[in-house]
Amino acid sequence: MTTTSFLERGQFSWLLGIEDTCVYPVDPSRPSLDEHQLTDHHLKWRDDLRDVVALGGTAIRYGMSWPLVHVAPGQFDWTHLDDVVAFAVDDLGLDIVADLVHYGTPTWLPDSFADEGYPIAIEEFASALAARYCGRIRGYTPLNEPVTTASFAGLRAVWPPYRHGWDGWTSVVVPITVGMARATHAIRNADPDAVIVHVDAATAITTREPGAADEAKLLERIGWLPTDLLTGRVDSDHKMWTWLLEHGATRSQLDWLLHHPAAPDVIGVNYYPDLTPRRLTTVKGRTLQVAYNGGADGFAATLRGFAARYGLPLAVTETSIEGDDDTRIAWLLDAINTVNQLATELDLRAFTWWPLFDFVDWSWAAGGTNVEEFAVELQNTDGTTTVGFAQPLGHPRDGKTPFLRRMGLIHLEERADGSLDRIPTAAAHAFARLTDPGDG
């Protein structure tokens, strides 16, 4: 593989990503979740971007912090982004894939993603962003992980607008898909050369229990649904058309999406080997998604699934694994070997290790309470395992260390004053060797 061009057929880009979850609730009494601030990136962003180059990255997935930049309808504060874009593009020569929405909206949208003004608001931001940085920012992701966004914001009431159940899920996923379509059209109008990278979390659900087969099938269809909606595939013959109407979508919304398709240039696939694969199992009468490690075989099957369904170029836009250096290096090599093996049959444009450095677990904003939708196998003191949800990591008053997810190529280490040092790991050196065109 060569590394000279950006998301072009026959070429290959090495990306790194900086965790950029940016959720600011309308109610100021609720805690925010801003990973740029939690990880000190807002203070150390120049050094962090230099690290991307040092590790051989040719591009970066980078959050635009929409809730902070779009201060009011028609009003923007570009001060920080201007500095970041100039440094990354002009000084370091990096390509940017701009991540417009990463789980949060401006606080002037009182009902967040379910607000009637949401689609127009993100269209306005996308248009202004692409016009301002036309020819400098080359890639755009209109919204990161619609499936995950709808789960946290619409199904399980973790983030605004705090909706519940499948009606809540639908009330979020339909407008965010309309917003993605509007944003895509706006970006292309402002910059015809822009590359649209639609990013979603892969869904890999299996079950060994016949009684859970219908739920597994529903979750599989849910996983495809935002991209199906975005690409104009959901008509009256689609298996989820009636389901959407039954759960609150309107015919006018679905018709609009059907007649305004916004196929991306590249589909970005987010796959974590130990988090993405889920097995449905029944525990005390409750059906749970239990995460397990699907490894390289699961990764390959996931990429083939996206390619077969949509027939579009692919990029690996997020992957990593939590653990020690040996664990992360092993997955890095397995993942790259998988990409190399698939390169002869699939149009694969890029590989992204996410995150560049460790991040603060999302339970931080919930006082330490687990907020994930999946269960895990818990180790008992007698050596046996049981299925359950991860236990609280700690409490924010005790510092960030218990909350640091060790998934980065660069470790974060907390000082006594709460600041975070960056320490490259052996996995970072392994990544740099892979990206070095002169190494083997």
Side-chain angles (χ1 to χ4, degrees), residues 281-399:
T281 188
T282 303
V283 179
K284 297 180 180 179
R286 180 184 180 187
T287 303
L288 300 179
Q289 297 182 39
V290 182
Y292 69 94
N293 196 323
D297 288 344
F299 187 36
T302 294
L303 291 172
R304 287 190 176 106
F306 273 92
R309 190 173 186 91
Y310 299 110
L312 291 168
L314 302 180
V316 178
T317 39
E318 290 184 24
T319 194
S320 65
I321 192 169
E322 192 164 16
D324 59 20
D325 279 346
D326 289 343
T327 299
R328 280 175 293 112
I329 291 172
W331 173 245
L332 172 63
L333 297 177
D334 282 348
I336 291 299
N337 285 337
T338 300
V339 169
N340 284 333
Q341 290 166 11
L342 293 177
T344 58
E345 61 178 278
L346 305 181
D347 184 0
L348 274 165
R349 303 286 179 90
F351 178 89
T352 310
W353 186 274
W354 182 290
L356 168 64
F357 48 80
D358 299 333
F359 69 100
V360 176
D361 189 83
W362 294 337
S363 64
W364 172 272
T369 302
N370 176 55
V371 296
E372 297 289 359
E373 64 186 345
F374 56 85
V376 295
E377 289 190 343
L378 303 171
Q379 297 293 323
N380 300 321
T381 56
D382 61 1
T384 62
T385 60
T386 57
V387 171
F389 290 94
Q391 300 302 305
L393 297 173
H395 194 281
R397 65 171 172 265
D398 300 320

Side-chain angles (χ1 to χ4, degrees), residues 48-209:
D48 292 339
L49 293 174
R50 289 189 186 102
D51 283 338
V52 173
V53 176
L55 295 181
T58 57
I60 184 167
R61 288 193 65 207
Y62 196 83
M64 298 292 100
S65 300
W66 182 34
L68 303 181
V69 174
H70 201 168
V71 295
Q75 298 181 32
F76 307 93
D77 181 356
W78 302 109
T79 307
H80 180 63
L81 278 182
D82 282 349
D83 290 343
V84 170
V85 172
F87 186 70
V89 176
D90 301 336
D91 294 355
L92 299 181
L94 286 169
D95 283 320
I96 294 175
V97 179
D99 196 0
L100 271 65
V101 186
H102 208 105
Y103 306 135
T105 65
T107 56
W108 48 265
L109 289 171
D111 211 15
S112 187
F113 296 109
D115 196 282
E116 64 179 11
Y118 169 77
I120 299 301
I122 187 55
E123 179 182 32
E124 180 181 69
F125 180 60
S127 179
L129 184 77
R132 188 173 188 86
Y133 301 116
C134 181
R136 303 180 76 203
I137 291 181
R138 301 183 68 188
Y140 294 86
T141 294
L143 182 138
N144 176 73
E145 294 191 341
V147 167
T148 306
T149 302
S151 173
F152 276 78
L155 182 66
R156 298 181 296 113
V158 177
W159 295 331
Y162 307 110
R163 300 290 177 88
H164 290 276
W166 290 121
D167 286 2
W169 189 91
T170 304
S171 75
V172 167
V173 85
V174 173
I176 65 175
T177 310
V178 172
M180 285 190 291
R182 287 186 173 276
T184 296
H185 295 311
I187 292 165
R188 286 174 170 159
N189 285 336
D191 183 358
D193 294 326
V195 177
I196 305 298
V197 185
H198 165 62
V199 174
D200 210 348
T203 299
I205 302 289
T206 60
T207 186
R208 297 170 179 168
E209 301 180 11

